[in-house]
Protein backbone atom coordinates (compact mmCIF):
# COMPACT_ATOMS: atom_id res chain seq x y z
CA UNK A 1 0.00 0.00 0.00
CA UNK A 2 2.84 2.36 0.84
CA UNK A 3 4.50 1.66 -2.52
CA UNK A 4 1.20 2.20 -4.36
CA UNK A 5 0.57 5.46 -2.50
CA UNK A 6 4.10 6.66 -3.28
CA UNK A 7 3.72 5.80 -6.96
CA UNK A 8 0.38 7.62 -7.10
CA UNK A 9 1.83 10.70 -5.43
CA UNK A 10 4.94 10.96 -7.62
CA UNK A 11 2.85 10.39 -10.75
CA UNK A 12 0.50 13.21 -9.77
CA UNK A 13 3.46 15.42 -8.86
CA UNK A 14 5.14 14.78 -12.22
CA UNK A 15 1.92 15.52 -14.09
CA UNK A 16 1.51 18.82 -12.23
CA UNK A 17 5.03 19.84 -13.24
CA UNK A 18 4.64 18.99 -16.90
CA UNK A 19 4.36 21.99 -19.20
CA UNK A 20 1.31 22.11 -21.51
CA UNK A 21 2.06 21.07 -25.07
CA UNK A 22 0.49 22.95 -27.93
CA UNK A 23 2.08 21.04 -30.79
CA UNK A 24 1.87 17.40 -31.70
CA UNK A 25 4.40 16.22 -34.24
CA UNK A 26 2.72 14.36 -37.10
CA UNK A 27 3.66 10.76 -37.69
CA UNK A 28 6.12 11.46 -40.50
CA UNK A 29 9.26 9.77 -39.28
CA UNK A 30 8.59 6.77 -41.52
CA UNK A 31 8.89 7.80 -45.14
CA UNK A 32 7.31 4.66 -46.49
CA UNK A 33 5.82 1.36 -45.45
CA UNK A 34 5.99 -1.63 -47.73
CA UNK A 35 6.85 -5.30 -47.81
CA UNK A 36 10.27 -6.89 -48.13
CA UNK A 37 10.55 -10.61 -48.79
CA UNK A 38 7.00 -11.15 -47.61
CA UNK A 39 7.60 -9.34 -44.31
CA UNK A 40 6.11 -6.08 -43.17
CA UNK A 41 8.69 -3.35 -42.89
CA UNK A 42 8.48 0.11 -41.34
CA UNK A 43 11.84 1.81 -41.79
CA UNK A 44 12.62 5.15 -40.18
CA UNK A 45 14.63 7.91 -41.82
CA UNK A 46 15.35 11.55 -41.04
CA UNK A 47 12.86 13.88 -42.77
CA UNK A 48 15.04 14.85 -45.74
CA UNK A 49 14.71 14.77 -49.50
CA UNK A 50 15.61 11.63 -51.48
CA UNK A 51 18.64 13.46 -52.89
CA UNK A 52 19.91 14.20 -49.40
CA UNK A 53 19.16 10.70 -48.16
CA UNK A 54 22.33 9.20 -49.58
CA UNK A 55 24.61 12.12 -48.67
CA UNK A 56 23.30 12.92 -45.23
CA UNK A 57 22.18 9.60 -43.72
CA UNK A 58 22.64 9.96 -39.98
CA UNK A 59 24.86 6.89 -39.71
CA UNK A 60 28.33 6.76 -41.24
CA UNK A 61 28.43 3.38 -43.02
CA UNK A 62 31.96 3.19 -44.38
CA UNK A 63 32.11 -0.12 -42.55
CA UNK A 64 29.82 -2.20 -40.36
CA UNK A 65 31.59 -1.58 -37.05
CA UNK A 66 29.23 -0.74 -34.21
CA UNK A 67 31.74 1.73 -32.81
CA UNK A 68 31.28 4.26 -35.62
CA UNK A 69 30.57 7.84 -34.60
CA UNK A 70 28.37 10.48 -36.18
CA UNK A 71 29.88 13.50 -37.84
CA UNK A 72 29.02 16.95 -36.49
CA UNK A 73 27.58 18.03 -39.84
CA UNK A 74 25.30 15.00 -40.05
CA UNK A 75 24.12 15.40 -36.47
CA UNK A 76 23.53 19.12 -37.03
CA UNK A 77 21.40 18.27 -40.06
CA UNK A 78 19.33 15.76 -38.06
CA UNK A 79 18.76 18.23 -35.23
CA UNK A 80 17.77 21.03 -37.61
CA UNK A 81 15.54 18.86 -39.78
CA UNK A 82 13.50 17.66 -36.82
CA UNK A 83 13.45 20.75 -34.63
CA UNK A 84 12.35 23.09 -37.43
CA UNK A 85 8.95 21.37 -37.49
CA UNK A 86 8.24 22.01 -33.82
CA UNK A 87 6.62 25.23 -32.66
CA UNK A 88 7.96 24.72 -29.15
CA UNK A 89 11.25 22.83 -28.91
CA UNK A 90 11.88 20.64 -25.91
CA UNK A 91 15.00 21.65 -24.02
CA UNK A 92 17.27 18.70 -24.69
CA UNK A 93 20.59 18.66 -22.79
CA UNK A 94 23.69 19.17 -24.90
CA UNK A 95 26.34 18.90 -22.15
CA UNK A 96 27.06 16.28 -19.50
CA UNK A 97 26.32 18.72 -16.66
CA UNK A 98 22.92 19.59 -18.16
CA UNK A 99 22.10 15.92 -18.67
CA UNK A 100 23.07 14.96 -15.11
CA UNK A 101 21.12 17.88 -13.65
CA UNK A 102 17.96 16.98 -15.56
CA UNK A 103 18.12 13.25 -14.83
CA UNK A 104 19.01 13.34 -11.14
CA UNK A 105 17.64 16.72 -9.98
CA UNK A 106 14.93 17.99 -12.32
CA UNK A 107 13.09 14.70 -12.85
CA UNK A 108 11.75 13.01 -9.72
CA UNK A 109 11.74 9.37 -10.92
CA UNK A 110 15.47 8.53 -11.06
CA UNK A 111 16.27 10.10 -7.64
CA UNK A 112 13.50 8.01 -6.06
CA UNK A 113 14.95 4.89 -7.68
CA UNK A 114 18.42 5.80 -6.36
CA UNK A 115 16.98 6.27 -2.85
CA UNK A 116 15.16 2.94 -3.03
CA UNK A 117 18.26 1.05 -4.19
CA UNK A 118 20.27 2.79 -1.45
CA UNK A 119 17.72 1.51 1.05
CA UNK A 120 18.18 -2.05 -0.21
CA UNK A 121 21.98 -1.70 0.02
CA UNK A 122 21.79 -0.28 3.55
CA UNK A 123 19.48 -3.11 4.65
CA UNK A 124 21.89 -5.68 3.23
CA UNK A 125 24.83 -4.06 5.02
CA UNK A 126 22.95 -4.29 8.31
CA UNK A 127 22.70 -8.08 7.84
CA UNK A 128 26.43 -8.58 7.24
CA UNK A 129 27.09 -9.59 10.88
CA UNK A 130 24.59 -12.47 10.73
CA UNK A 131 24.84 -13.42 7.04
CA UNK A 132 28.29 -12.57 5.59
CA UNK A 133 28.66 -11.95 1.87
CA UNK A 134 29.50 -15.19 0.01
CA UNK A 135 30.54 -16.42 -3.41
CA UNK A 136 27.01 -17.76 -3.90
CA UNK A 137 25.57 -14.33 -3.20
CA UNK A 138 28.02 -12.73 -5.63
CA UNK A 139 26.94 -15.22 -8.30
CA UNK A 140 23.28 -14.39 -7.62
CA UNK A 141 23.99 -10.65 -7.90
CA UNK A 142 25.84 -11.16 -11.21
CA UNK A 143 23.06 -13.43 -12.49
CA UNK A 144 20.42 -10.80 -11.73
CA UNK A 145 22.33 -8.29 -13.89
CA UNK A 146 22.61 -10.86 -16.70
CA UNK A 147 18.88 -11.55 -16.43
CA UNK A 148 18.18 -7.82 -16.83
CA UNK A 149 20.29 -7.69 -20.02
CA UNK A 150 18.47 -10.66 -21.56
CA UNK A 151 15.06 -9.40 -20.44
CA UNK A 152 15.83 -5.92 -21.78
CA UNK A 153 16.55 -7.28 -25.26
CA UNK A 154 13.62 -9.75 -25.34
CA UNK A 155 11.11 -7.25 -23.97
CA UNK A 156 12.13 -4.69 -26.58
CA UNK A 157 12.12 -7.09 -29.51
CA UNK A 158 9.24 -9.41 -28.65
CA UNK A 159 6.79 -7.15 -26.80
CA UNK A 160 7.48 -3.51 -27.68
CA UNK A 161 7.77 -4.42 -31.38
CA UNK A 162 5.19 -7.20 -31.24
CA UNK A 163 2.80 -8.02 -34.13
CA UNK A 164 -0.20 -7.55 -31.78
CA UNK A 165 -1.40 -4.25 -30.37
CA UNK A 166 -1.22 -3.51 -26.66
CA UNK A 167 -0.59 -0.42 -24.55
CA UNK A 168 3.17 -1.01 -24.26
CA UNK A 169 3.54 -1.18 -28.04
CA UNK A 170 1.48 2.00 -28.44
CA UNK A 171 3.62 3.90 -25.93
CA UNK A 172 6.80 2.65 -27.62
CA UNK A 173 5.42 3.61 -31.02
CA UNK A 174 4.83 7.14 -29.76
CA UNK A 175 8.45 7.18 -28.58
CA UNK A 176 9.62 6.24 -32.09
CA UNK A 177 7.39 8.89 -33.67
CA UNK A 178 9.08 11.68 -31.73
CA UNK A 179 12.11 13.45 -33.14
CA UNK A 180 15.21 11.51 -32.14
CA UNK A 181 16.63 14.13 -29.78
CA UNK A 182 14.16 14.42 -26.92
CA UNK A 183 13.83 13.82 -23.18
CA UNK A 184 13.15 10.12 -22.67
CA UNK A 185 12.64 9.16 -19.01
CA UNK A 186 10.00 6.70 -17.84
CA UNK A 187 7.39 8.06 -15.40
CA UNK A 188 8.06 7.57 -11.66
CA UNK A 189 5.07 5.25 -11.23
CA UNK A 190 6.46 2.86 -13.84
CA UNK A 191 10.02 2.99 -12.47
CA UNK A 192 9.02 2.33 -8.86
CA UNK A 193 6.23 -0.08 -9.75
CA UNK A 194 8.63 -2.20 -11.83
CA UNK A 195 11.29 -2.10 -9.11
CA UNK A 196 8.99 -3.22 -6.28
CA UNK A 197 7.26 -5.82 -8.46
CA UNK A 198 10.67 -7.29 -9.30
CA UNK A 199 11.62 -7.27 -5.61
CA UNK A 200 8.53 -9.22 -4.55
CA UNK A 201 8.94 -11.72 -7.40
CA UNK A 202 12.59 -12.26 -6.41
CA UNK A 203 11.55 -12.60 -2.76
CA UNK A 204 9.12 -15.37 -3.71
CA UNK A 205 11.92 -17.17 -5.57
CA UNK A 206 14.65 -16.56 -2.94
CA UNK A 207 13.16 -16.84 0.56
CA UNK A 208 16.56 -16.14 2.16
CA UNK A 209 16.28 -12.39 2.58
CA UNK A 210 19.95 -11.53 2.17
CA UNK A 211 20.05 -13.34 -1.18
CA UNK A 212 16.82 -11.64 -2.21
CA UNK A 213 18.33 -8.23 -1.39
CA UNK A 214 21.47 -8.86 -3.43
CA UNK A 215 19.47 -10.06 -6.43
CA UNK A 216 17.20 -7.01 -6.18
CA UNK A 217 20.20 -4.69 -5.92
CA UNK A 218 21.88 -6.16 -9.01
CA UNK A 219 18.68 -6.18 -11.05
CA UNK A 220 17.74 -2.63 -10.01
CA UNK A 221 21.22 -1.22 -10.66
CA UNK A 222 21.16 -2.72 -14.16
CA UNK A 223 17.74 -1.16 -14.68
CA UNK A 224 18.96 2.24 -13.49
CA UNK A 225 21.96 2.06 -15.83
CA UNK A 226 19.59 1.26 -18.69
CA UNK A 227 17.29 4.17 -17.80
CA UNK A 228 20.23 6.60 -17.73
CA UNK A 229 21.76 5.16 -20.92
CA UNK A 230 18.50 5.33 -22.89
CA UNK A 231 18.00 8.90 -21.69
CA UNK A 232 21.53 10.05 -22.55
CA UNK A 233 21.60 8.59 -26.08
CA UNK A 234 18.47 10.60 -26.92
CA UNK A 235 20.10 13.86 -25.83
CA UNK A 236 22.51 16.00 -27.84
CA UNK A 237 25.42 15.09 -25.57
CA UNK A 238 28.29 13.76 -27.69
CA UNK A 239 30.83 11.16 -26.54
CA UNK A 240 34.30 12.66 -26.13
CA UNK A 241 36.69 10.03 -27.44
CA UNK A 242 40.39 10.89 -27.61
CA UNK A 243 42.50 8.52 -29.77
CA UNK A 244 45.63 7.16 -28.07
CA UNK A 245 47.71 8.66 -30.89
CA UNK A 246 46.43 12.16 -30.17
CA UNK A 247 48.71 14.57 -28.23
CA UNK A 248 45.72 15.32 -25.95
CA UNK A 249 45.65 11.69 -24.86
CA UNK A 250 49.00 12.08 -23.11
CA UNK A 251 47.50 14.83 -20.95
CA UNK A 252 44.74 12.57 -19.61
CA UNK A 253 44.98 11.27 -16.07
CA UNK A 254 45.17 7.55 -15.31
CA UNK A 255 41.52 7.66 -14.18
CA UNK A 256 40.44 9.19 -17.48
CA UNK A 257 42.39 6.61 -19.49
CA UNK A 258 41.23 3.46 -17.71
CA UNK A 259 37.67 4.50 -16.80
CA UNK A 260 36.33 7.58 -18.61
CA UNK A 261 37.57 6.76 -22.12
CA UNK A 262 36.24 3.14 -22.10
CA UNK A 263 32.89 4.49 -20.87
CA UNK A 264 32.85 7.05 -23.69
CA UNK A 265 33.60 4.34 -26.26
CA UNK A 266 30.80 2.14 -24.90
CA UNK A 267 28.46 5.14 -24.96
CA UNK A 268 29.35 5.92 -28.59
CA UNK A 269 28.73 2.29 -29.55
CA UNK A 270 25.40 2.23 -27.73
CA UNK A 271 24.36 5.55 -29.25
CA UNK A 272 25.15 4.50 -32.82
CA UNK A 273 23.30 1.22 -32.34
CA UNK A 274 20.18 2.95 -31.05
CA UNK A 275 20.22 5.59 -33.79
CA UNK A 276 20.26 2.80 -36.37
CA UNK A 277 17.24 1.23 -34.67
CA UNK A 278 15.30 4.51 -34.75
CA UNK A 279 16.39 6.02 -38.05
CA UNK A 280 17.28 3.15 -40.38
CA UNK A 281 15.16 0.08 -39.63
CA UNK A 282 13.39 -0.74 -36.37
CA UNK A 283 13.39 -4.48 -37.17
CA UNK A 284 17.04 -4.57 -36.10
CA UNK A 285 19.43 -3.26 -33.44
CA UNK A 286 17.24 -3.94 -30.38
CA UNK A 287 20.13 -4.28 -27.93
CA UNK A 288 20.99 -1.50 -25.55
CA UNK A 289 23.04 -2.03 -22.40
CA UNK A 290 25.04 -4.77 -24.14
CA UNK A 291 25.07 -4.14 -27.90
CA UNK A 292 26.65 -7.57 -28.47
CA UNK A 293 23.19 -9.04 -27.82
CA UNK A 294 22.34 -8.07 -31.40
CA UNK A 295 25.27 -10.16 -32.62
CA UNK A 296 24.13 -13.06 -30.45
CA UNK A 297 20.52 -13.01 -31.71
CA UNK A 298 21.26 -12.06 -35.33
CA UNK A 299 19.83 -8.53 -35.31
CA UNK A 300 22.99 -6.65 -36.24
CA UNK A 301 23.00 -6.89 -40.04
CA UNK A 302 25.30 -5.03 -42.40
CA UNK A 303 23.97 -1.47 -42.60
CA UNK A 304 24.61 -1.23 -46.34
CA UNK A 305 22.57 -4.40 -46.96
CA UNK A 306 19.64 -3.06 -44.93
CA UNK A 307 19.71 0.27 -46.77
CA UNK A 308 19.84 -1.53 -50.12
CA UNK A 309 16.85 -3.70 -49.11
CA UNK A 310 14.90 -0.65 -47.98
CA UNK A 311 15.73 1.25 -51.16
CA UNK A 312 14.46 -1.62 -53.32
CA UNK A 313 11.26 -1.85 -51.29
CA UNK A 314 10.75 1.91 -51.48
CA UNK A 315 11.21 1.96 -55.24
CA UNK A 316 8.83 -0.97 -55.67
CA UNK A 317 6.28 0.60 -53.33
CA UNK A 318 6.32 3.89 -55.22
Amino acid sequence: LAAAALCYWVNAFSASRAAPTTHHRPRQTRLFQGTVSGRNIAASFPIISPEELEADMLININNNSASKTISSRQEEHAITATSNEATTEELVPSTWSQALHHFFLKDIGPPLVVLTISGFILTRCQLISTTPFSITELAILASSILIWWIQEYCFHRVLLHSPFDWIGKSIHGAHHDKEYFHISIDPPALLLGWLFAAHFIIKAMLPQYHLCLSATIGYSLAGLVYEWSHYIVHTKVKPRIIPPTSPSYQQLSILERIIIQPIMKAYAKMRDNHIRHHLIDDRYWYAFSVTEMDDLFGTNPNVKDVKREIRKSRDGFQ
Side-chain angles (χ1 to χ4, degrees):
L1 288 176
L6 180 61
C7 290
Y8 176 82
W9 178 81
V10 295
N11 198 35
F13 180 76
S14 298
S16 67
R17 294 173 63 217
T21 303
T22 57
H23 172 77
H24 296 281
R25 188 166 184 261
R27 293 173 177 261
Q28 293 179 335
T29 54
R30 290 171 173 79
L31 294 185
F32 75 96
Q33 291 187 353
T35 303
V36 178
S37 304
R39 296 175 295 170
N40 290 330
I41 177 174
S44 304
F45 292 94
I47 305 300
I48 55 179
S49 65
E51 292 75 22
E52 294 173 307
L53 190 59
E54 291 302 314
D56 291 322
M57 180 62 70
L58 199 59
I59 299 294
N60 175 9
I61 60 165
N62 291 330
N63 56 64
N64 197 39
S65 169
S67 62
K68 295 185 290 292
T69 55
I70 306 164
S71 71
S72 299
R73 183 179 67 84
Q74 290 170 325
E75 183 164 325
E76 242 176 64
H77 179 83
I79 296 172
T80 304
T82 54
S83 62
N84 282 347
E85 295 183 345
T87 57
T88 57
E89 185 180 7
E90 190 177 24
L91 291 177
V92 180
S94 57
T95 65
W96 287 102
S97 59
Q98 291 173 358
L100 287 165
H101 179 270
H102 189 104
F103 190 80
F104 289 107
L105 297 178
K106 191 173 181 181
D107 198 282
I108 194 172
L112 286 174
V113 172
V114 171
L115 286 173
T116 305
I117 295 174
S118 300
F120 286 130
I121 294 174
L122 179 61
T123 304
R124 178 62 190 99
C125 290
Q126 291 174 341
L127 299 175
I128 287 290
S129 58
T130 55
T131 52
F133 204 75
S134 64
I135 297 297
T136 301
E137 191 169 352
L138 179 61
I140 288 175
L141 188 146
S143 298
S144 66
I145 296 174
L146 179 62
I147 287 171
W148 171 273
W149 291 342
I150 297 172
Q151 164 221 278
E152 174 192 299
Y153 177 91
C154 294
F155 190 85
H156 187 192
R157 179 179 179 177
V158 178
L159 295 179
L160 296 184
H161 287 272
S162 66
F164 54 88
D165 292 329
W166 67 291
I167 187 170
K169 181 181 178 180
S170 300
I171 294 172
H172 192 66
H175 167 66
H176 269 264
D177 285 339
K178 290 182 179 180
E179 52 201 60
Y180 183 80
F181 298 102
H182 69 280
I183 301 295
S184 181
I185 302 177
D186 289 320
L190 176 60
L191 293 175
L192 292 177
W194 191 293
L195 193 157
F196 282 108
H199 173 65
F200 289 123
I201 291 172
I202 293 171
K203 189 176 181 180
M205 298 172 64
L206 295 172
Q208 292 178 293
Y209 194 50
H210 66 291
L211 298 181
C212 166
L213 285 172
S214 291
T216 301
I217 291 167
Y219 182 87
S220 302
L221 284 174
L224 181 61
V225 169
Y226 162 79
E227 190 68 22
W228 159 260
S229 301
H230 185 256
Y231 156 75
I232 197 67
V233 300
H234 276 287
T235 67
K236 300 173 186 177
V237 178
K238 300 177 183 178
R240 182 174 177 266
I241 300 174
I242 302 176
T245 55
S246 170
S248 302
Y249 187 83
Q250 306 304 322
Q251 302 173 4
L252 297 178
S253 65
I254 298 298
L255 177 67
E256 289 176 311
R257 293 185 189 185
I258 65 174
I259 296 180
I260 303 300
Q261 282 301 297
I263 289 176
M264 287 296 173
K265 290 178 183 178
Y267 165 50
K269 188 175 180 180
M270 188 186 301
R271 187 174 189 246
D272 289 354
N273 204 62
H274 201 56
I275 287 177
R276 292 191 190 108
H277 175 71
H278 270 261
L279 299 179
I280 293 185
D281 193 334
D282 57 16
R283 297 175 303 161
Y284 305 112
W285 304 294
Y286 297 104
F288 208 89
S289 298
V290 181
T291 55
E292 287 75 15
M293 297 288 284
D294 279 316
D295 296 317
L296 181 63
F297 290 104
T299 49
N300 183 28
N302 184 285
V303 181
K304 288 183 179 180
D305 292 342
V306 174
K307 286 182 64 180
R308 190 179 301 113
E309 183 183 24
I310 290 173
R311 192 181 300 111
K312 287 180 181 178
S313 178
R314 180 186 62 195
D315 294 341
F317 182 71
Q318 290 175 346

